[in-house]
Amino acid sequence: MSEIKYYLIKGTALFGESHYPERRKFVKVIRALNEKQATEYIYSYFGSKNKIKRYNIKIEEIRELKEEEVIDKRVKEIGKLEKIIV
């Protein structure tokens, strides 16, 4: 079984494509099994939350982080959970 890792993803996305297009930078720390899954998460996240198309998202850097390097408390705490009950 694969181990879940932390990834730092940096890039730009085109917000407000139809009215006033503006390219903004983003930095996101997520948990994923591999880089491909991390990339898919970014595309689906921005697509669902902001209605941004995949071709308007440019990922510039994907870097694996060690647990000590993670700054975001929420991501770190979720990584410590053994199971989630919904």
Side-chain angles (χ1 to χ4, degrees), residues 26-82:
F26 66 85
V27 176
K28 199 122 176 82
V29 176
I30 64 165
R31 297 178 69 229
L33 292 173
N34 53 36
E35 286 187 15
K36 184 178 179 185
Q37 190 182 42
T39 304
E40 277 300 313
Y41 177 81
I42 290 297
Y43 288 142
S44 66
Y45 176 81
F46 281 112
S48 67
K49 299 287 183 193
N50 301 301
K51 306 295 184 231
I52 298 175
K53 304 292 182 205
R54 288 174 178 250
Y55 57 82
N56 287 329
I57 300 170
K58 305 292 182 222
I59 296 175
E60 296 162 0
E61 179 186 355
I62 299 177
R63 183 167 63 98
E64 187 177 328
L65 296 176
K66 296 179 183 170
E67 191 171 343
E68 304 83 45
E69 296 176 325
V70 177
I71 298 170
D72 192 356
K73 279 180 152 178
R74 279 185 298 165
V75 175
K76 207 180 240 187
E77 291 298 320
I78 288 173
K80 292 179 183 177
L81 295 176
E82 291 182 22

